[in-house]
């Protein structure tokens, strides 16, 4: 039997407000344990929450970017369960009236786009962090993270493969980064994704029993976990077994999911409206104000790059995948560089150097104007592309302007014919074999000889000129 | 009289994280049955079309600005903790990854 | 006894202190002496702050000496229900689960009273987590009714009521979720006022039922109520549910005049359930108001019969979540010898709470649990809307509503403690006011034949505490009797 996967994603993303969602403590949870805490986020007796306007606005912004309907009238609810990372033993969340509902996100898949339905996005508070590295049979609880605003984004079960899940996550992350609502750092937990996975025979409608894969630290981990889980469920069914509804963890080292024997307690969260907070009303004017403040989103930017800069769909996609990268590309073009070479440099050498150095484009010394002027220097023949390749790492590390580096290092291209004629003659003399080959009609030998010229000039020879000169010298000495 | 069983009492006690001895369970079966039975009185009322009260005052949109205010000194935060190492609140080792 | 300042009202003390006729220190000593003399019998206080009170009094006196304004409650000794967070001493809600708990902050109402020049003399007994109508549910002690030491003082703010009635201090603060200020005020023969929901910040009030709780004063007379309201009302940015409305000068409402006012008598409150003697007390009181020019009209609050059921669904549901935080992790009691988290919660909660608190947590958990939410919690919130609508309609026909505060005077200690439902029904006249978020007040309206106080309840429209005070003041000025010092506490 052929099976298809039915997958829904749940993403929790920490909103990058300065202060927590219900109190004025800093959201910097890297501070020493339990130093960004107050009576409110510690759930001390007698305290009351007051909701952050900014957290609501960021949530609505995400909702709008995901084409959601924004609830005119919504409210916060209490979700009751006991766990040491919850200060009040209830989480202030949203139950039946989320701020954002019924949206979608379009993902490019197999050369077309597919809509993944977004069921809802709701605002809630993050939990504390438990550490198990404390001795003496105890765990430690650090409440710095408790109360950081968290947006939970839930999809419809529209995803059919690990590839689609991966595309959904990367596109969602792009949007969140474009909106600048979150750091989206999975390792630090500011973005956390869970997948609900079931399979069913192709052509059937009914859902199979789902498993929930949690606690995966990367998108590639989720990709692998979903692939594994689909195969595992298929094998269970093919062997005549049944799928158990459960939460499963991901063992990245062994590449397998495993059953997490969750507590017996049924999930009876006893939601009810939070009486300590008053209703949230997002009227048309406020919604419009937030809509107008939205930046250009990845999809729109991709399309604009194709039309405005005549870039290929592929190039536009790569460039807009990362907002900072796209910004840098546009700044380079704005500084006078032609779009195509700018795109090639940004996507190619620059990207590679940044990856090697594990540095973000915003954090390196390179300025877009300098990349533009480097491209200008190639264009006007001052330096060769080869020289430029050598210059870029230095520009990146030192922030020096390319003109300055070229002067300091004497890297100006040799475009003086007489100088190159002398070099050409030496090369012809030193390479009688290839010279003879060329004269015998083997055009390929010319490339070798030009290469030798470049080598002899340490790459400073203007390649076009070097080519012409060696031809004419070969003709002369024949 | 609402029909409250011992199983109901045990289920609710589980949700509320209470451990009840047999005598208490028996007593709660009777008392909760009595009280919930009294509450069933509300079923006499037709509430079709009546909005449930969300908030007694007609208020909405009470917000904080996104401004950081001072947190507690850690000694104060931990001052009442039954068990701490001076940095963390300590609880018996958490085994579940849930 | 060095002096009798303890017998005075707050406005008398304030006037004398501000005029330099007496020092705050002398008044404070008088109260501390009185507490030392009678609290062994009354057991209203669970903690007396002798040193802190003296220090606060000294500050008031220093201000006066320096020519600074010592505040509108200068030198007035005030006691605080243990449900209010205070940096001084402990805040335990009279529960073992919060034994020894020290709050890092003061409740907003406490802060505001301190700014007004008050002197805090200590913390007062209450039903554990304010759950009760007799103060018998305190895990610490049983407070006695000053008028009859064998009777309860009412509850849950029984300590606050007994302390004022027993002249241990001029003013106390209590909290009222379903009558916990008005009912003990009626039982003990003092003035008790529950402001409109949202009038006083709940920040620093340990939550029982968040949508119903409100802080309010116990005083010896109506004027003192106005003084306390002036100090504690008003918006607080730390409480989202505190109303952003201007606070009037409530003393301006103290006019001995109700001519032209319409007072509504809800027929559902004057049934056979109200004892004949109580009925007569209330009728007499209403006659006094009629004599001062008020027009008495009959009104109807048709859903009155459903209030107790509605109330106990909502308050237990909210309480089940509000009390979840007491788990032995960050503060409070932790059961010894626990080896895992589940055990930590279960043992701590089971050992830390008293039986009434456990019962209410069970009820509240049940009414919210899967499959029962619609039948109980949601239904109750709908009926709550109906109850509020009843009042809105009644207030189209009158300016204030007058009712008894409680169906009977204070009952004997132990008399009702075996039947929780019967105890719940003793809140029958006070509960609707909380459900509708209205201001309500109880005033002494005489003593029964057995020498126990009866209480008259006045209810006004939302944020119309001024009408409440005006009606109360008029009654007080014209009632034709003075409440003597309770016999049991005389000649101490
Ligand atoms: Mg969530
Ligand atoms: Zn905080």
């Amino acid at each position: 039997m052929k099976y298809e996967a039915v997958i829904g994603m749940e993403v929790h993303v920490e909103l990058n407000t300065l202060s927590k969602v219900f109190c004025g403590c800093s959201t910097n949870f890297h501070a020493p344990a339990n130093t960004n805490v107050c009576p409110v986020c510690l759930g001390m007796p007698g305290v009351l929450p007051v909701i952050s306007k900014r957290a609501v606005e960021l949530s609505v912004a995400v909702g709008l970017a995901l084409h959601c309907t924004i609830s005119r009238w919504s409210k916060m609810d209490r979700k009751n369960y006991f766990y040491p990372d919850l200060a009040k033993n209830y989480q202030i969340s949203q139950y039946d009236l989320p701020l954002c509902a019924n949206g979608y996100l379009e993902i490019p898949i197999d050369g077309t786009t597919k809509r993944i339905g977004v069921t809802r996005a709701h605002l809630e508070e993050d939990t504390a962090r438990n550490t198990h590295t404390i001795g003496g049979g105890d765990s430690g609880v650090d409440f710095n993270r408790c109360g950081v605003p968290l947006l939970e984004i839930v999809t419809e079960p529209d995803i059919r493969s690990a590839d689609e899940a991966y595309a959904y996550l990367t596109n969602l992350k792009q949007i969140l980064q474009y909106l600048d609502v979150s750091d989206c750092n999975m390792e630090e937990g500011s973005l956390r994704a869970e997948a609900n996975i079931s399979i069913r025979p192709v052509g059937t409608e009914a859902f199979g029993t789902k498993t929930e894969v949690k606690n995966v630290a990367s998108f590639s981990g989720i990709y692998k976990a979903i692939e594994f889980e689909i195969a595992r469920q298929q094998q269970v069914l093919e062997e005549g077994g049944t799928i158990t509804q459960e939460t499963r963890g991901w063992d990245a080292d062994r590449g397998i999911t495993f059953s997490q024997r969750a507590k017996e307690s049924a999930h009876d969260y006893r939601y009810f409206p939070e009486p300590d907070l008053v209703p949230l009303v997002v009227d048309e004017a406020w919604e419009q104000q937030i809509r107008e403040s939205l930046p250009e989103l990845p999809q729109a930017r991709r399309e604009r790059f194709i039309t405005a800069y005549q870039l290929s769909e592929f190039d536009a996609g790569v460039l807009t995948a990362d907002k900072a990268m796209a910004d840098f590309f546009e700044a380079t073009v704005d500084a006078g560089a032609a779009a195509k070479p700018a795109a090639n440099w940004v996507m190619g050498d620059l990207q590679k150097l940044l990856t090697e150095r594990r540095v973000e484009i915003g954090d390196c010394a390179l300025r877009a104007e300098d990349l533009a002027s480097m491209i200008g220097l190639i264009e006007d023949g001052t330096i060769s592309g080869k020289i430029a390749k050598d210059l870029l790492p230095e520009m990146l590390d030192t922030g020096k302007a390319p003109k300055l580096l070229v002067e300091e290092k004497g890297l100006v291209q040799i475009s003086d014919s007489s100088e190159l004629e002398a070099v050409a003659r030496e090369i012809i003399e030193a390479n009688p074999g290839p010279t003879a080959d060329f004269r015998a009609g083997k055009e390929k030998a010319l490339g070798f000889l030009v290469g030798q010229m470049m080598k002899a000039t340490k790459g400073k020879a203007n390649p076009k000129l070097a080519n012409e000169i060696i031809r004419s010298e070969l003709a002369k000495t024949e | 009289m609402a029909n409250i069983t011992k199983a109901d009492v045990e289920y609710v006690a589980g949700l509320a994280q209470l451990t009840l001895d047999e005598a208490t369970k028996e007593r709660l079966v009777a008392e909760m049955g009595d009280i919930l039975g009294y509450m069933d009185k509300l079923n006499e009322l037709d509430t079709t079309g009546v909005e449930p009260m969300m908030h007694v005052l007609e208020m909405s949109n009470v917000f904080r600005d996104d401004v950081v205010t001072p947190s507690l000194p850690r000694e104060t935060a931990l001052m009442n903790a039954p068990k701490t190492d001076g940095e963390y609140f300590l609880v018996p080792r958490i085994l579940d990854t849930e | 006894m060095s002096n009798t300042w303890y017998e005075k009202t707050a406005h008398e003390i304030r006037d004398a202190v501000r005029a330099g006729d007496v020092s705050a220190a002398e008044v404070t000593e008088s109260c501390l002496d009185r507490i030392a003399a009678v609290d062994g019998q009354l057991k209203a206080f669970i903690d007396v702050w002798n040193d802190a009170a003296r220090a606060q009094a000294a500050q008031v006196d220093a201000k006066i000496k320096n020519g600074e304004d010592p505040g509108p409650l200068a030198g007035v000794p005030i006691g605080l229900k243990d449900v209010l967070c205070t940096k001084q001493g402990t805040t335990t809600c009279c529960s073992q689960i919060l034994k020894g708990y020290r709050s890092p902050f003061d409740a907003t109402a406490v802060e505001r009273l301190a700014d007004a020049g008050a002197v805090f003399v200590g913390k007062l007994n209450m039903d554990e987590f304010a759950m009760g109508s007799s103060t018998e549910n305190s895990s610490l002690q049983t407070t006695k009714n000053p008028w009859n030491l064998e009777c309860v003082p009412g509850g849950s703010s029984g300590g606050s009521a007994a302390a004022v009635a027993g002249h241990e201090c001029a003013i106390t603060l209590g909290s009222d979720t379903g009558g916990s200020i008005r009912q003990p005020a009626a039982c003990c023969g003092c003035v008790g006022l529950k402001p409109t929901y949202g009038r006083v910040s709940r920040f620093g009030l340990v939550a029982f039922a968040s949508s119903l709780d409100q802080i309010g004063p116990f005083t010896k007379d109506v004027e003192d109520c106005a003084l306390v309201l002036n100090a504690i009302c008003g918006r607080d940015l730390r409480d989202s549910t505190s109303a952003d409305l201007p606070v009037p000068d409530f003393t301006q409402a103290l006019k001995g005049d109700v001519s032209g006012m319409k007072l509504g008598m809800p027929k559902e409150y004057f049934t056979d359930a109200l004892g004949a003697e109580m009925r007569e007390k209330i009728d007499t009181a209403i006659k006094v108001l009629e004599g001062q020019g008020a027009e008495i009209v009959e009104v109807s609050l048709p859903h009155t019969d459903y209030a107790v059921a509605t109330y106990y669904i909502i308050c237990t549901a909210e309480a089940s979540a509000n009390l979840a935080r007491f788990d032995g992790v960050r503060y409070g009691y932790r059961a010894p010898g626990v080896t895992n988290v589940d055990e930590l919660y279960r043992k701590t909660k089971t050992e830390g709470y008293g039986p009434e608190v456990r019962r209410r947590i069970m009820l509240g958990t049940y009414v919210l649990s899967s499959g029962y939410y619609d039948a109980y919690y949601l239904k109750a919130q709908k009926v709550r809307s109906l109850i509020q609508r009843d009042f809105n309609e009644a207030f189209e026909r009158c300016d204030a509503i007058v009712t008894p505060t409680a169906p009977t005077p204070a009952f004997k200690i132990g008399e009702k403690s075996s039947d929780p439902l019967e105890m719940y029904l003793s809140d029958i006249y006070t509960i609707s006011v909380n459900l509708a978020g209205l201001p309500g007040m109880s005033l002494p309206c005489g003593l029964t034949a057995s020498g126990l106080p009866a209480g008259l309840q006045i209810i006004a429209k939302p944020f119309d505490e001024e009408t409440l005070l005006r009606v109360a003041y008029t009654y007080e000025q014209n009632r034709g009797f003075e409440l003597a010092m309770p016999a049991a506490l005389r000649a101490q």
Side-chain angles (χ1 to χ4, degrees), chain A residues 130-135 137-141, chain B residues 88-95:
Chain A
N130 299 325
T131 121
H132 310 293
T133 51
I134 307 259
D138 284 324
S139 291
V141 192
Chain B
Y88 291 91
F89 294 91
L90 297 186
V91 295
R93 175 65 56 93
I94 302 163
L95 297 171

Side-chain angles (χ1 to χ4, degrees), chain C residues 289-304:
Chain C
L289 289 164
E290 207 174 5
Q292 296 303 311
E295 184 190 336
I296 308 301
V297 295
E298 191 187 83
V299 294
S300 174
L301 299 167
H303 296 95
T304 299

Side-chain angles (χ1 to χ4, degrees), chain C residues 98-263:
Chain C
L98 272 177
K99 190 175 179 180
Y101 174 72
R102 306 204 50 158
S103 175
F105 63 92
D106 280 327
T108 300
V110 172
E111 232 171 37
R112 290 179 176 179
L113 284 178
D115 290 346
V119 172
F120 298 122
V121 289
K123 294 298 262 302
L124 293 155
N125 199 29
M126 58 185 278
D127 284 303
E128 183 179 359
F129 286 109
M131 295 178 182
S133 307
S134 68
T135 315
E136 291 165 289
N137 295 331
S138 166
S139 78
L140 302 175
Q141 61 196 28
T142 301
T143 298
K144 311 295 191 302
N145 190 311
W147 295 91
N148 180 341
L149 299 176
E150 286 171 14
C151 288
V152 301
S156 67
S157 312
S160 302
V164 168
H167 295 278
E168 292 181 299
C169 50
I171 292 172
T172 58
L173 285 189
S175 65
D176 189 316
T177 306
S180 283
I181 290 174
R182 290 157 290 151
Q183 185 258 15
C187 287
C188 292
C190 44
V191 179
L193 189 152
K194 181 205 94 77
T196 312
Y197 185 83
R199 194 50 125 167
V200 179
S201 168
R202 293 184 294 116
F203 193 82
L205 169 67
V206 182
F208 158 19
S210 314
S211 75
L212 300 159
D213 295 341
Q214 198 61 189
I215 297 169
F218 289 86
T219 59
K220 294 177 184 178
D221 69 7
V222 176
E223 182 175 347
D224 281 1
C225 261
L227 293 184
V228 179
L229 290 188
N230 275 356
I232 66 175
C233 290
R235 192 179 185 205
D236 178 11
L237 296 176
R238 293 176 293 185
D239 176 1
S240 314
T241 65
S242 84
D244 190 10
L245 286 175
V247 179
D249 176 1
F250 290 105
T251 60
Q252 296 298 309
L254 302 171
K255 301 183 192 98
D257 175 18
V258 287
S259 52
M261 282 180 88
K262 283 186 183 167
L263 300 180

Side-chain angles (χ1 to χ4, degrees), chain C residues 377-390:
Chain C
Y377 184 80
L378 191 65
K379 183 81 179 179
Q381 291 291 19
K382 289 179 178 173
V383 180
R384 190 175 179 184
S385 294
L386 294 176
I387 290 169
Q388 190 180 40
R389 194 188 294 171
D390 284 355

Side-chain angles (χ1 to χ4, degrees), chain C residues 264-278:
Chain C
M265 280 177 73
K267 61 179 184 201
E268 293 81 2
Y269 283 56
F270 293 89
T271 63
D272 292 345
L274 180 62
E277 198 183 6
M278 271 297 182

